[in-house]
Amino acid sequence: MDEQQILQRIHALVDEEHDLLSRRESAGPEQHARIAHLEETLDQCWDLLRRRRARRSAGLDPDDAQVAPVSQVEGYLQ
C-alpha cells in the first residue's frame, strides 16, 4: 500500500467514524464496537504512514514498512 492509498483509506475511515459519531446517541453496541475498531485502524494507518515517511527520510525502502499490531500502536505515549 503506497502513501496515497493509505491517505485514501484514512479519509474513508474518518468519514465513516464521523457518520457513526453523529448518530452515537442512538447507536447500539455494534456501532460502538465499530467506532472502537475504526479508531484502532486509524491509529494503525497513521503509524504506517509515519513509518513509511521515516524510512524514506532515512534512505530506506518505504515499502518495507509493516503495519504494527493494534496492541503496539495503542500503547504509544502521546
Side-chain angles (χ1 to χ4, degrees), residues 1-77:
M1 189 180 306
D2 67 19
E3 290 181 23
Q4 188 60 36
Q5 291 171 316
I6 296 169
L7 287 169
Q8 289 173 346
R9 178 79 173 131
I10 287 170
H11 289 293
L13 292 168
V14 167
D15 288 344
E16 183 180 354
E17 181 185 37
H18 286 172
D19 181 54
L20 289 172
L21 289 172
S22 71
R23 297 180 281 133
R24 182 180 4 198
E25 292 180 18
S26 63
E30 294 106 21
Q31 282 103 349
H32 289 287
R34 180 64 184 158
I35 291 169
H37 178 72
L38 287 169
E39 290 170 350
E40 293 170 346
T41 305
L42 278 165
D43 288 344
Q44 285 180 302
C45 288
W46 282 116
D47 180 69
L48 178 59
L49 188 61
R50 284 189 287 276
R51 287 171 182 262
R52 289 182 57 85
R53 290 176 175 171
R55 291 186 65 78
R56 181 175 291 110
S57 292
L60 301 172
D61 185 357
D63 291 334
D64 288 340
Q66 300 293 315
V67 175
V70 170
S71 60
Q72 182 177 338
V73 296
E74 292 300 310
Y76 291 156
L77 298 176

